[in-house]
Every structure is written in C-alpha cells, then in structure tokens.
Amino acid sequence: MDPSARQYITTRAMNGIRLSVDPNDVLVDEKVSVRASGLEARQQVTVYTSVKGDKGVTFASSGCYQATEDGELDLESMPSSAGTYTGVDGMGFIWSLLPSPGQRPGTQLLQNDVTKPQTVDISVYSGHRCLEDLCSGLLDAPLVTNVLTRWYKPNGVSRTPITSGRLRGTLFLPRGSGPFPGVIDIAGLELGVLENRAALLASHGYAVLALPYYGYEDLPKHTNKLDLQYFKDAAAFLDTHTHVKPGGLGILANSKGAEFAQLTAIHCPQIKCMVRVNGMPYITFFPIRDGDVLYPPAVNLDLSSCELTHEGVVGRNGHCFDTEKFTKVWESDVKILSICGGDDLNLPPDLHQLQVNCFPVNKRDDIELVKYKGAGHLIEPPFSPHCRASYNKLAQNNLVWGGNPKDHAAAQEDSWRRILQFFSKHFHGKPML
C-alpha cells in the first residue's frame, strides 16, 4: 500500500451515477467513506458488498438506503433501514459481512497471505433487495460499482520467516532501520502461524514476532508437548535483534496463547507489558514443562462438560475458579491490559475479574480490565466480520464463541485503539493520540 496512491476510484454507469470510496487503498483498521451521487431524488437503493475468503468462500453484506432529495448517498451519515446492518454506521458494510447463503455454517473470513490485499467489491442496486437475491447473481446489473483494497501489511513493512534454533515464526519490521519496540504475538489454539494481527501492528511502528507454538513445520504436533523454554527463546531472540529497541518487550496474546504469555512474563525480565485478549488465568488441558519443572493444568480436557447446542459446542463449563491454581503473574512487574468479551461462550467472563482481585493492593494498578458487553471470544482487529462460531478440530464440531455482530464490532474497534495506546504508553511514555 502506497499512501500517495490514495484517491477516488469511480465507475460511471450509463446514467451518470458516481460511486466514490475515499480512500480506496487502506489498512484494514482504517475507516473509509462511501458515497454515491447522481441517483434519483429519494431513490431507494441497496449497497451490496462482497469479499472472497482464502478458501474461495464469498462473504457478503447489504444495507438498504434512501437517497436524499439531491440524489446523494453517504454511508457515514445516513441510516440503513434493513440488511446485515441497520442504523448509521459508515463501516457496517465491512464488519457485517456474512458467509453467502448456502455456505457451511461456522465459516470464518480469513486471509492467511498478508502480502496480498483483501479486495472488496461494492455495488449499488436500485430498490431494496435481500441478501439472498443479491448473492444469486440473477438480478439486473447494478447501477454503479467500485472496489476497495484493504491491507494487513503495507509495502513498507518487511516480512521475514524465522528459523533460529528450534524457534519458528514470522518477523514483521516497519519501514526504516529502527530500532523499533518489540512485541511477541501469540495466538490461540489455531494451527500454524497467524500473521494478520502481527502484520497490522507492525504497520504502526512495532517489530512484531508472530509466534506459532504447535502444528507448524517441525514444531510439536500437539499442545501436550510444549516447553516454556521455547517462549523464553522467542523473548531472547527478539530482545537481542538489531532492529529492536532495547529496554523491554511487549506481548499480545489471546485465548490459549495468553496462558503461555503469562508464564513467559514471569520468567523473562525482558517482558515489560502485555495485552491478553480473553485469555485463561491458568494453564488448561495439558501441562507445560520448564526444564525439570512441570506446570500442571488447572483443568483437564473434558468434552463431556461442554454443552452441545444447535450452533455447536459451548465450552464455558468446566473451568477453574480456584485462585490458588491461577498463574501468579502479579509476582512479576509486567503491566497488563486485559480485554474481556462479556458474552464469551468459551471462557466465563467472571474469571477475568477474579484474576484482577488476586493482585495485591499495591499492584492493582499493574492490571487494567476492560469488559465489552455483547462481545464474544474472538476479538480481532477493527472491522473484522464477527464470527460467532467456527469449526474446531479438537471438538470436531463448531465451537460457539458468542457475541452479537454490532456489539462485537464496537468492541473490536475500541479494544484495538486501547491496545495501540497501551503499547505507546509503555514503550514511548505517552498514549498515542
């Protein structure tokens, strides 16, 4: 993505209707303005948006609008009366994307190759149309179309696969020689290396190591073979990298990854700050070894404690509320931003407050808990479509993550702002404006 290339792209229909997207070449966490002109006075129209996912699945959204007396349409200031989103929301056409009708339930919009853009096709149709008809391809041609290009990794950010000893992953570095503040990005139970969030964070000036820990190249095939030394090696690697600013590292981790992040923070003085997103406050399912020391799980894997619903498996049951089994992260000096989905159906939200209560009074300022009502487990960067349930190989079924689309979208936008401010405060001494 080249910022100098940002401009309107306009496709003109036979009747002179103009559709503008400003800017048309953006990072995925940036807002855009979508406007149309040349429509009939108070004409009813539908804005239809479609994106192709990694596996060829089409995701789509729709919003029904009425043009002004001047024949204009502005998604930032005008309400959608029906569709996949309603009300005034300039980015609703992105965050409300759904798998098109007929797709397998539990499909998530993913983009594993961050070197390629996400291409968003935007069309305006006459009349108010339902999503099924729009996706069918049987309607008349749209009045006007346009394309939005969204990136996780701009051209200035470098991407380097890492093979150092037994360490595996991908290092993203911003443009320039640095040095840059270093952050380790640890995902949940997803197989392999997930690069989306790391690439996006690097675009904001951080050297980010996307760190897989199982199911990737020659790493363990299962989480029952993990060693804490692997995470220590990652901290040592990033801390001594020539492009990384000395003085401490950050960690951004979610779900299962947050378990390892907390242990790493306790054992690695290089870690100065950490963001945990819907992370367990203890070790789950399988032990993790640290040399001759074995950290046992606070809870064992017990699928019988899960509830099977029409949406899939709800795993909120069977968790540990015994604070003696919590990872004693408060014994470190690490500063923590804890982000919690209030409708997380995978992890009881009460556990987050329980962990905060474990911090001694003189260390209570070391942790900040932010809870989002109506948000589920998979809190991702802004404007990512809400995924309420997705297929999980361990459960051999869809896992229900929870949340509702509108509240979840608001949580993603606000939490990303908080994450950037948190890292800016602890690396640069002041929050980002």
Side-chain angles (χ1 to χ4, degrees):
M1 184 190 70
D2 181 0
S4 66
R6 295 183 175 186
Q7 57 185 351
Y8 286 128
I9 294 181
T10 302
T11 302
R12 299 181 186 276
M14 293 294 293
N15 55 4
I17 298 173
R18 184 174 187 266
L19 178 63
S20 65
V21 181
D22 180 26
N24 70 4
D25 196 75
V26 298
L27 293 174
V28 297
D29 62 354
E30 293 183 284
K31 291 184 176 182
V32 300
S33 297
V34 177
R35 300 183 180 91
S37 59
L39 300 167
E40 296 177 8
R42 304 186 65 79
Q43 182 177 1
Q44 291 188 336
V45 296
T46 300
V47 177
Y48 170 62
T49 306
S50 63
V51 177
K52 277 285 182 69
D54 269 350
K55 297 180 180 180
V57 177
T58 298
F59 287 73
S61 72
S62 63
C64 296
Y65 294 89
Q66 185 174 46
T68 66
E69 290 288 354
D70 296 327
E72 296 184 348
L73 173 66
D74 184 348
L75 268 59
E76 285 187 297
S77 61
M78 298 172 64
S80 166
S81 60
T84 57
Y85 62 100
T86 57
V88 179
D89 193 319
M91 293 299 290
F93 73 104
I94 294 292
W95 62 252
S96 71
L97 287 162
L98 298 171
S100 58
Q103 305 296 333
R104 182 188 181 281
T107 302
Q108 186 177 7
L109 179 57
L110 297 173
Q111 183 168 330
N112 293 323
D113 187 352
V114 297
T115 65
K116 296 180 180 178
Q118 181 186 83
T119 302
V120 182
D121 293 309
I122 307 171
S123 304
V124 178
Y125 283 84
S126 178
H128 287 174
R129 311 298 183 96
C130 68
L131 189 64
E132 290 77 8
D133 289 345
L134 292 163
C135 293
S136 70
L138 301 178
L139 296 179
D140 294 337
L143 299 174
V144 62
T145 65
N146 207 332
V147 176
L148 167 64
T149 303
R150 305 172 75 231
W151 299 84
Y152 285 97
K153 188 190 84 64
N155 289 334
V157 171
S158 67
R159 175 189 177 275
T160 306
I162 298 300
T163 303
S164 176
R166 62 177 178 173
L167 192 65
R168 302 292 179 265
T170 309
L171 180 65
F172 292 92
L173 294 175
R175 185 193 303 271
S177 58
F180 310 102
V183 177
I184 303 172
D185 187 321
I186 311 176
L189 276 175
E190 297 87 349
L191 287 169
V193 58
L194 295 185
E195 300 182 353
N196 307 61
R197 188 172 60 185
L200 185 60
L201 186 58
S203 73
H204 288 276
Y206 297 92
V208 187
L209 174 63
L211 183 69
Y213 48 89
Y214 86 111
Y216 179 70
E217 294 187 353
D218 57 352
L219 293 179
K221 303 299 182 184
H222 197 278
T223 56
N224 61 0
K225 300 290 185 181
L226 298 184
D227 190 332
L228 186 61
Q229 186 60 48
Y230 176 78
F231 298 92
K232 293 180 181 179
D233 291 347
F237 168 84
L238 195 60
D239 187 53
T240 57
H241 196 280
T242 56
H243 289 84
V244 173
K245 185 178 180 180
L249 304 173
I251 298 180
L252 174 55
N254 60 287
S255 195
K256 183 72 174 176
E259 300 176 24
F260 310 128
Q262 293 182 143
L263 275 177
T264 304
I266 291 174
H267 290 86
C268 295
Q270 307 101 311
I271 307 301
K272 64 187 296 185
C273 57
M274 173 173 62
V275 178
R276 53 191 300 275
V277 182
N278 286 324
M280 285 66 162
Y282 45 71
I283 299 299
T284 62
F285 306 155
F286 303 103
I288 180 171
R289 184 174 295 279
D290 183 20
D292 295 331
V293 178
L294 194 68
Y295 293 95
V299 293
N300 294 310
L301 181 62
D302 181 12
L303 295 179
S304 66
S305 68
C306 299
E307 179 186 357
L308 183 61
T309 71
H310 70 282
E311 292 182 290
V313 175
V314 175
R316 183 181 278 185
N317 299 322
H319 282 277
C320 173
F321 290 85
D322 181 0
T323 57
E324 290 298 317
K325 295 183 178 181
F326 283 18
T327 301
K328 295 177 175 56
V329 67
W330 50 86
E331 295 182 352
S332 73
D333 292 324
V334 67
K335 309 301 181 185
I336 301 172
L337 173 61
S338 183
I339 293 170
C340 163
D343 190 39
D344 185 348
L345 297 182
N346 192 255
L347 175 66
D350 291 345
L351 283 172
H352 300 281
Q353 184 61 56
L354 198 58
Q355 183 188 40
V356 171
N357 296 343
C358 290
F359 277 65
V361 174
N362 65 323
K363 284 205 164 188
R364 197 61 59 85
D365 289 341
D366 287 353
I367 184 168
E368 178 187 2
L369 174 61
V370 182
K371 183 177 179 180
Y372 293 101
K373 181 180 178 180
H377 187 74
L378 297 183
I379 297 178
E380 299 178 329
F383 318 123
S384 302
H386 171 237
C387 179
R388 182 172 169 84
S390 64
Y391 186 78
N392 180 271
K393 288 186 177 181
L394 187 64
Q396 295 187 341
N397 203 324
N398 283 346
L399 272 185
V400 185
W401 306 113
N404 68 77
K406 188 168 186 177
D407 287 336
H408 195 87
Q412 291 186 150
E413 186 175 353
D414 185 74
S415 63
W416 186 248
R417 175 186 60 82
R418 288 178 182 269
I419 289 170
L420 295 179
Q421 289 180 339
F422 176 81
F423 282 138
S424 180
K425 174 183 176 181
H426 291 288
F427 284 120
H428 304 299
K430 59 182 179 179
M432 178 191 63
L433 296 178

